[in-house]
DNA sequence: CTATGAACCTGACAGC
DNA sequence: TGCTGTCAGGTTCATA
């Protein structure tokens, strides 16, 4: 589920509510949800208690809440994570429940338990302050300091398919399987094309398509194929706007040819066989 | 260094 | 109905 647009919708939804609030209660219901917090559930609980949330941040598919002790609560939604505001949800996938000083509950629900919370210190990398667990990620395409030429240099150095590279979070972060297929469809580039062999015009087209697709995803409040929900529990609408993803067999919105589904890097990959040239 | 595959989980769905 | 196999938005680790 959650790629950059979904995570950004969650971050924005949380920011308005949690900034300035103090955490008054924490309960970890499932240890896997904090497995990446190496000091353990008790440490996380103790350190969160009575801390104030001072702001929010995001890079790629990671988001975080900055805390008044200078550290950050880093959240990854994995495949099915939800950050919910309101009452504590009566949900058997409730993994972590917290209470804020205005009486609101901030809960982490995650069916598949691939996501989780961890506390981390902020480090300065290349002029930006990010939590430790995020430091290895490339900037995402919506980052004001995103360096397109730098990414192109990396693309050229590697020899793997462009879709594989779009999914590599150390090349460019935030893009997952949905938005990779959507951006490649929009740019009319075959997912199997070697990234290093794209022309300058194709690179420009792809960059524009990635930015537009991600921004569209945010504008439609994310894609709810399965269990993605915003912090208010509402699903997104982007799944109704897909041109290629999950549309195999349906006509390409551009030329009418049925969308094809292949596998690239073990991932289901959707493309128009007529709009794109196979390598 | 690059690339591939498996593992980590739960649930939905297709087919028999 | 129920069983089996496959697939799903992500990341990480081990193996070639």
């Amino acid at each position: 589920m959650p790629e950059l647009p979904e995570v950004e919708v969650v971050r924005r939804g949380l920011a308005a509510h949690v900034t300035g609030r103090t955490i008054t209660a924490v309960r970890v219901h499932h240890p896997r949800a904090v497995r990446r917090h190496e000091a353990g559930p008790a440490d996380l609980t103790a350190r969160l208690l009575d801390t104030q949330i001072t702001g929010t941040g995001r890079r790629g598919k990671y988001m975080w809440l900055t805390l008044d002790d200078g550290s950050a609560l880093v959240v990854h939604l994995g495949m099915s994570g939800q950050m919910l505001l309101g009452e504590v949800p009566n949900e058997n996938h409730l993994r972590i429940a917290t209470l804020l000083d205005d009486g609101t509950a901030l809960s982490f629900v995650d069916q598949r338990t691939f996501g989780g919370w961890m506390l981390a210190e902020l480090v300065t990398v290349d002029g930006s302050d990010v939590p430790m667990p995020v430091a290895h990620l490339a900037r995402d395409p919506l980052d004001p300091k995103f360096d397109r030429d730098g990414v192109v240099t990396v693309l050229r150095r590697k020899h793997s398919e462009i879709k594989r590279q779009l999914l590599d979070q150390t090349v460019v972060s935030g893009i997952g399987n949905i938005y990779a297929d959507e951006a490649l469809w929009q740019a009319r580039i075959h997912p199997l094309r070697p990234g290093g062999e794209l022309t300058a015009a194709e690179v420009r087209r792809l960059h524009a398509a990635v930015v537009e697709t991600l921004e569209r995803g945010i504008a439609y409040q994310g894609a709810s194929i399965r269990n993605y929900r915003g912090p208010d529990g509402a699903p997104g609408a982007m799944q109704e706007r897909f041109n290629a993803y999950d549309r195999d067999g349906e006509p390409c919105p551009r030329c009418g040819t049925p969308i094809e589904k292949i596998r690239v890097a073990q991932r289901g990959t959707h493309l128009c066989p007529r709009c794109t040239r196979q390598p």
Side-chain angles (χ1 to χ4, degrees), chain A residues 199-221:
Chain A
T199 65
E202 286 174 323
V203 167
R204 278 197 301 274
R205 234 157 60 206
L206 181 56
H207 176 241
V210 164
V211 170
E212 277 175 37
T213 307
L214 294 176
E215 285 178 345
R216 227 158 93 86
I218 295 170
Y220 284 101
Q221 306 292 302

Side-chain angles (χ1 to χ4, degrees), chain A residues 4 8 58-59 126-128 139-148 207 211 215:
Chain A
L4 185 154
E8 177 62 12
R58 182 191 55 73
R59 173 169 288 186
D126 191 23
S128 296
R139 289 185 192 276
D140 63 64
L142 301 191
D143 188 320
K145 291 185 180 173
F146 179 76
D147 173 14
R148 197 191 70 172
H207 176 241
V211 170
E215 285 178 345

Side-chain angles (χ1 to χ4, degrees), chain A residues 113-193:
Chain A
T113 68
F114 286 171
W117 289 13
M118 73 209 91
L119 284 169
E121 302 308 311
L122 293 169
V123 291
T124 304
V125 182
D126 191 23
S128 296
D129 290 340
V130 296
M132 246 343 189
V134 176
H136 68 290
L137 289 184
R139 289 185 192 276
D140 63 64
L142 301 191
D143 188 320
K145 291 185 180 173
F146 179 76
D147 173 14
R148 197 191 70 172
D149 294 340
V151 173
V152 172
T153 305
V154 176
L155 290 184
R156 296 247 182 277
R157 200 166 60 221
K158 299 188 172 202
H159 288 271
S160 52
E161 309 96 311
I162 185 59
K163 171 152 177 185
R164 187 186 291 275
Q165 300 214 47
L166 287 179
L167 294 177
D168 185 340
Q169 305 296 301
T170 66
V171 173
V172 51
S173 66
I175 304 170
N177 206 37
I178 291 178
Y179 293 93
D181 283 5
E182 289 297 307
L184 287 167
W185 177 88
Q186 188 173 320
R188 303 192 310 280
I189 294 171
H190 197 287
L192 291 174
R193 288 279 302 288

Side-chain angles (χ1 to χ4, degrees), chain A residues 185 187-189 205 252 254-257 272-277:
Chain A
W185 177 88
R188 303 192 310 280
I189 294 171
R205 234 157 60 206
C252 167
R254 211 161 30 212
C255 75
T257 306
C272 174
R274 184 167 169 194
C275 293
T276 60
R277 182 166 50 84

Side-chain angles (χ1 to χ4, degrees), chain A residues 70-150:
Chain A
S71 68
L73 172 60
V74 181
V75 178
H76 197 285
L77 300 178
M79 291 281 253
S80 55
Q82 304 174 0
M83 294 282 282
L84 298 174
L85 282 168
E87 305 282 302
V88 178
N90 180 18
E91 239 283 4
N92 51 339
H93 302 309
L94 177 66
R95 307 307 186 194
I96 306 169
T98 72
L99 211 56
L100 306 179
D101 60 357
D102 65 350
T104 309
L106 170 62
S107 311
F108 184 63
V109 169
D110 186 16
Q111 176 200 112
R112 290 174 73 182
T113 68
F114 286 171
W117 289 13
M118 73 209 91
L119 284 169
E121 302 308 311
L122 293 169
V123 291
T124 304
V125 182
D126 191 23
S128 296
D129 290 340
V130 296
M132 246 343 189
V134 176
H136 68 290
L137 289 184
R139 289 185 192 276
D140 63 64
L142 301 191
D143 188 320
K145 291 185 180 173
F146 179 76
D147 173 14
R148 197 191 70 172
D149 294 340

Side-chain angles (χ1 to χ4, degrees), chain A residues 221-238:
Chain A
Q221 306 292 302
S224 295
I225 293 287
R226 282 179 184 80
N227 39 24
Y228 165 74
R229 293 291 182 276
D232 55 355
M238 182 62 187

